[in-house]
Amino acid sequence: CFNYNVVPEKDFLSFCENSVERIPVMIENKGSVSNTYAFSLEGPTWANLDRDRLVVEENEKGSVSLILNPGYREDGDYSIEVKVTSERGELVQSNTFKANVQTCYDAFVDIEKESDKICNSLSNSYGVVLKNTGKFDQDYQLSIDGPAWASLATGIVKINADGETSLTLEVNPPFDAAPGDYPIEVKSV
């Protein structure tokens, strides 16, 4: 009277970080009466169901969606278990989904020197390498967190997947700059 099947569209998915994937999970009521199904999920915080209850008439089908939305740098292999419990008959079924989340958007910034000394009114140039370590071509907006007398020649660069570009960091402290340590951070977004 209360038999049912849980039929996911797929049970393995490989996709990029910071993206949204939906996996439909079909509930097929093979019983002779209408039934309500309760869903629960065990897995990472970025895995959710679009609903926690579903009513399916006898010999009908209904579905819920497993929504996967990992943030940046959430890479690795994950197991996600969806448990379904029928209200009538209290039958429990579960499915385990495997998610392989890949780092697809990443960059590496390297500055020629980690530290240096420079006198007022003198200038110096430092090589900066920006490498796209992701899987897609990307535009990067560059900025500097530091004194106003530190600058980059360019603000936006396009880099192919697994490519890199060289930039120049110009440092030119004015005559009246107070002696001291001035951290300079090159950022790419």
Side-chain angles (χ1 to χ4, degrees):
C1 292
F2 310 116
N3 194 21
Y4 68 98
N5 288 332
V6 178
V7 185
E9 184 177 274
K10 54 181 103 176
D11 59 6
F12 174 78
L13 187 63
S14 183
F15 62 107
C16 290
E17 64 188 325
N18 199 47
S19 62
V20 177
E21 294 290 334
R22 289 179 167 268
I23 302 173
V25 180
M26 184 79 63
I27 303 300
E28 186 177 8
N29 185 350
K30 298 207 163 263
S32 58
V33 295
S34 174
N35 212 337
T36 301
Y37 302 93
F39 299 88
S40 63
L41 183 136
E42 289 184 28
T45 58
W46 45 262
N48 295 287
L49 294 165
D50 68 346
R51 65 180 84 180
D52 60 359
R53 300 184 83 63
L54 177 68
V55 176
V56 182
E57 299 298 322
E58 67 269 12
N59 296 313
E60 295 288 326
K61 297 176 184 176
S63 72
V64 298
S65 290
L66 173 61
I67 303 168
L68 308 177
N69 186 14
Y72 282 112
R73 293 187 175 50
E74 293 272 355
D75 63 338
D77 294 317
Y78 297 89
S79 288
I80 302 152
E81 183 179 21
V82 175
K83 288 184 183 178
V84 183
T85 305
S86 65
E87 188 174 275
R88 292 179 138 174
E90 297 181 2
L91 300 174
V92 178
Q93 292 191 34
S94 66
N95 276 83
T96 301
F97 298 85
K98 300 290 184 183
N100 172 257
V101 182
Q102 300 176 17
T103 301
C104 297
Y105 308 98
D106 207 1
F108 174 75
V109 178
D110 187 35
I111 301 177
E112 175 184 339
K113 282 189 166 185
E114 190 172 308
S115 65
D116 201 6
K117 293 182 181 183
I118 190 169
C119 294
N120 295 9
S121 298
L122 297 180
S123 64
N124 207 351
S125 299
Y126 303 95
V128 177
V129 175
L130 175 59
K131 182 171 177 66
N132 178 354
T133 56
K135 297 182 183 284
F136 303 104
D137 298 352
Q138 292 289 321
D139 291 328
Y140 293 93
Q141 182 174 353
L142 302 164
S143 64
I144 292 181
D145 189 6
W149 37 264
S151 63
L152 287 170
T154 185
I156 297 178
V157 294
K158 182 175 182 82
I159 305 175
N160 295 333
D162 207 32
E164 65 181 50
T165 191
S166 296
L167 307 161
T168 302
L169 171 64
E170 295 288 338
V171 178
N172 187 7
F175 180 74
D176 59 351
D181 291 336
Y182 292 90
I184 300 171
E185 185 177 6
V186 176
K187 295 181 178 182
S188 68
V189 177

